[in-house]
Amino acid sequence: MSPATGLLIALAGLSGALGVGLSAAAAHITGGNLTTAAQFLLFHAPGLLALAALIAAGAVHPALAQTAGYVLILGLVLFCGDLSRRAFAGVALFPRAAPMGGILLMLGWVLVAVSALLRLRS
């Protein structure tokens, strides 16, 4: 993998992490919980498919990228699950589920970035 490709993947991971943080802030400001949950699921689906393709192509560190994918999925379950339950039932999934999920989503994207940078070193 070329350094330019690795940098592009790393910046995509950083972009994903920042996008999660800003979207979460917007959901708190505007109260669009269900819209935010739906968008997160729709936006992360192609990201997870792309991550799988990057692993198969050898463009990222495979073990770390796979861990990043699982962290992203767990983050989606907690974040989107909590926002959806609040929208439909008026109660939280459990205390602090959405913030925990959001932190996991940001961590997952940072791990994607690190997996690209580690691949560059090897």
Side-chain angles (χ1 to χ4, degrees):
M1 174 176 64
S2 74
T5 301
L7 180 60
L8 184 60
I9 296 167
L11 290 173
L14 180 60
S15 176
L18 292 172
V20 169
L22 291 175
S23 294
H28 288 287
I29 293 168
T30 63
N33 284 347
L34 198 54
T35 300
T36 300
Q39 289 174 339
F40 268 55
L41 291 168
L42 289 170
F43 296 153
H44 282 83
L48 289 165
L49 291 172
L51 184 57
L54 291 169
I55 293 168
V60 291
H61 186 279
L64 187 56
Q66 186 174 11
T67 299
Y70 292 136
V71 169
L72 287 168
I73 290 167
L74 180 58
L76 284 172
V77 168
L78 294 176
F79 187 78
C80 297
D82 188 62
L83 293 182
S84 297
R85 185 153 188 228
R86 286 173 190 268
F88 287 119
V91 295
L93 193 59
F94 59 84
R96 311 286 302 154
M100 186 183 309
I103 289 169
L104 287 171
L105 287 167
M106 289 185 276
L107 175 62
W109 282 113
V110 169
L111 290 174
V112 169
V114 172
S115 73
L117 296 174
L118 284 178
R119 182 68 177 113
L120 279 173
R121 290 183 52 192
S122 59

